[in-house]
Amino acid sequence: MKVFRPDPRAVAEYVANFGRDAFYESRELRKNCCHIRKVEPLERALEGKEAWITASAASRPSRAPI
């Protein structure tokens, strides 16, 4: 299994500019934080892949109907 982590420099820059808990302050800052910590690592993980499969545990309640 290969683990993909956020770029430590991008996280440090975000925290230095906006603060550790800035994602509580606005939607834009929350989106920026998610992009750095989730979206960008996922993009790297999926690079060159043709498909992506994900699943949800049957016992976990769904947020929205599919």
Side-chain angles (χ1 to χ4, degrees):
M1 179 186 312
K2 186 171 183 180
V3 177
F4 291 83
R5 299 190 194 291
D7 178 357
R9 291 169 294 190
V11 173
E13 183 178 334
Y14 177 88
V15 171
N17 289 328
F18 305 110
R20 189 188 73 182
D21 296 326
F23 53 86
Y24 290 119
E25 295 176 20
S26 74
R27 179 179 238 174
E28 182 181 347
L29 289 174
R30 187 167 45 251
K31 285 182 172 184
N32 288 342
C33 183
C34 285
H35 184 82
I36 292 167
R37 294 178 180 272
K38 299 174 185 179
V39 176
E40 193 279 327
L42 179 60
E43 287 174 344
R44 282 188 283 121
L46 297 176
E47 190 173 294
K49 305 294 187 283
E50 293 184 25
W52 172 30
I53 299 172
T54 186
S56 179
S59 62
R60 181 176 174 235
S62 175
R63 289 193 214 180
I66 297 177

